Amino acid sequence: MELLFVFAMILIILYYFYQKRPKTHFPNIPYQDHKKHVLNYKKINTNNKPPQDLQYTTYLLSLINELPQDEFILVYACLKKWEKQGEITLEDVDGEINIHFKKPYTNNIVEDQLFQMLYRLEIDHVVENEVIRKWMEADFDKIVQWKEAYLKEMQNKLKQEHKLVDERYSLEIYHDLESLLGYKKYLNVYKEIETEEENVYALLFGLKECPYHMYTFFVMENVDDKPMINSSVK
């Protein structure tokens, strides 16, 4: 009898720890067909097709808690997007990055909120590395608020397109998410990232560390996980 009691207690303990296991890799997300589809990473096919819309990609990752909580990564991703669109250039000066503005705005309304925050720091159309780091410290709360608005704007867009109804998502979004995670698996296969585009998505996926010389304006003293800079914004 005592053995049965001990065996039962062991089963209860094992079940408790089973329930406490991380579940983020197999999330259940409700869809419009009122069924729950399980995103099983083991069954997702690897593919080498990068997503085309940074904001949509960011939103999809937020649905399954795969979006890094580091706001700086998303700012960096936007900078690389703007560079690709020819709206800014990123100049590497002795291992530090300066932003050169070619235009006073960008083509996405909610991205332009971030763009304007940086543009207001410019002197002769250039924002230097040290100024960026000071701005990160001074306006960190604004950056967090911007990220939330960035995600909310995409949610509203999906509602207008009838891909989001009563907090349920279309199967089209589900398939896009599978494709995105397939690209994540593809990047994770390789030890080296070959292109800047791959580097940006690897950062968003939390797979790779960005080279120091391309991430220097986000390097700050780490005290209690909060960005700290000794001096204030000019």
Side-chain angles (χ1 to χ4, degrees):
M1 189 68 181
E2 291 181 356
L3 287 175
L4 286 175
F5 177 76
V6 171
F7 183 69
M9 290 300 296
I10 291 173
L11 287 178
I12 291 172
I13 292 171
L14 290 175
Y15 180 75
Y16 172 80
F17 284 107
Y18 174 79
Q19 289 294 101
K20 291 291 183 180
R21 76 194 191 286
K23 299 178 182 179
T24 55
H25 292 292
F26 302 94
N28 291 317
I29 302 178
Y31 291 85
Q32 288 177 7
D33 61 357
H34 300 285
K35 296 179 181 178
K36 287 188 176 181
H37 298 261
V38 178
L39 288 165
N40 189 331
Y41 284 18
K42 294 179 180 180
K43 295 182 180 180
I44 292 175
N45 295 324
T46 301
N47 70 75
N48 62 351
K49 296 179 181 179
Q52 299 301 312
D53 189 322
L54 177 63
Q55 188 179 6
Y56 185 48
T57 298
T58 303
Y59 182 73
L60 290 182
L61 290 174
S62 74
L63 290 181
I64 56 172
N65 298 321
E66 288 286 327
L67 182 64
Q69 296 305 304
D70 186 348
E71 282 76 13
F72 305 151
I73 290 176
L74 187 53
V75 173
Y76 176 80
C78 284
L79 287 172
K80 296 305 295 183
K81 178 185 177 184
W82 299 337
E83 182 183 39
K84 186 177 180 180
Q85 293 172 174
E87 293 158 352
I88 65 171
T89 58
L90 299 178
E91 178 188 21
D92 187 346
V93 180
D94 297 327
E96 295 191 343
I97 301 300
N98 295 335
I99 304 174
H100 291 252
F101 287 92
K102 294 184 175 181
K103 295 173 63 178
Y105 59 88
T106 188
N107 61 356
N108 180 296
I109 294 175
V110 73
E111 281 182 14
D112 195 56
Q113 296 172 13
L114 176 64
F115 193 96
Q116 293 304 317
M117 282 193 279
L118 286 164
Y119 190 74
R120 284 193 289 270
L121 304 174
E122 62 89 13
I123 299 176
D124 296 329
H125 302 292
V126 177
V127 180
E128 295 182 350
N129 177 276
E130 186 64 22
V131 176
I132 298 170
R133 288 191 290 172
K134 292 175 182 178
W135 166 73
M136 284 286 185
E137 163 63 10
D139 286 344
F140 182 72
D141 289 342
K142 290 182 180 179
I143 299 168
V144 174
Q145 292 172 8
W146 168 78
K147 185 183 82 169
E148 293 174 353
Y150 191 67
L151 297 173
K152 189 68 176 179
E153 198 266 350
M154 176 53 67
Q155 185 183 63
N156 291 335
K157 181 179 178 181
L158 294 175
K159 285 182 178 178
Q160 293 173 3
E161 295 175 356
H162 306 293
K163 295 180 180 179
L164 172 57
V165 180
D166 297 328
E167 303 303 322
R168 295 179 180 272
Y169 301 89
S170 68
L171 286 176
E172 182 180 354
I173 292 177
Y174 174 77
H175 293 313
D176 288 344
L177 192 48
E178 280 192 318
S179 179
L180 177 67
L181 294 177
Y183 184 61
K184 174 181 177 180
K185 289 180 71 174
Y186 166 76
L187 290 184
N188 206 23
V189 168
Y190 299 95
K191 294 181 179 179
E192 298 294 335
I193 296 297
E194 298 177 353
T195 68
E196 282 298 327
E197 184 176 40
E198 289 173 344
N199 188 58
V200 169
Y201 285 114
L203 278 170
L204 285 174
F205 294 144
L207 301 179
K208 309 288 182 182
E209 290 293 333
C210 182
Y212 176 79
H213 73 282
M214 290 300 292
Y215 207 43
T216 182
F217 47 80
F218 299 136
V219 176
M220 303 180 182
E221 296 178 33
N222 192 0
V223 180
D224 295 330
D225 293 326
K226 294 180 181 179
M228 296 293 291
I229 292 296
N230 294 328
S231 56
S232 59
V233 175
K234 295 179 181 177

